[in-house]
Amino acid sequence: MPDLIETRSFNRTSDRLGVTQSTLSSRIRTLEGLLGKQLFIRSVAEAKRSSSGRRASRHVC
């Protein structure tokens, strides 16, 4: 999650982590499902932390 917060890009983050973009997206969606909260607001241009994502990042990062 720290890389995604920094890059705001699923593509760049997946490249950094050496996984596919779909794998990264799936992992984030799984985490969001477990927490019952949307952590990122996704758009074509970027991924921004939601208010829940900002709160969660204090504990993760």
Side-chain angles (χ1 to χ4, degrees), residues 25-47:
S25 291
S26 176
R27 290 177 182 174
I28 295 294
R29 285 191 201 285
T30 298
L31 179 59
E32 289 173 328
L34 291 169
L35 297 172
K37 304 283 183 185
Q38 182 180 7
L39 300 175
F40 291 92
I41 300 167
R42 297 151 174 89
S43 73
V44 175
E46 65 182 351

Side-chain angles (χ1 to χ4, degrees), residues 2-54:
D3 279 321
L4 186 53
I5 292 168
E6 181 183 326
T7 67
R8 294 190 222 180
S9 168
F10 278 82
N11 287 324
R12 282 189 295 248
T13 298
S14 64
D15 286 344
R16 282 182 170 190
L17 299 176
V19 299
T20 64
Q21 184 272 330
S22 60
T23 297
L24 177 62
S25 291
S26 176
R27 290 177 182 174
I28 295 294
R29 285 191 201 285
T30 298
L31 179 59
E32 289 173 328
L34 291 169
L35 297 172
K37 304 283 183 185
Q38 182 180 7
L39 300 175
F40 291 92
I41 300 167
R42 297 151 174 89
S43 73
V44 175
E46 65 182 351
K48 293 183 189 179
R49 285 183 290 171
S50 66
S51 58
S52 296
R54 285 189 294 277

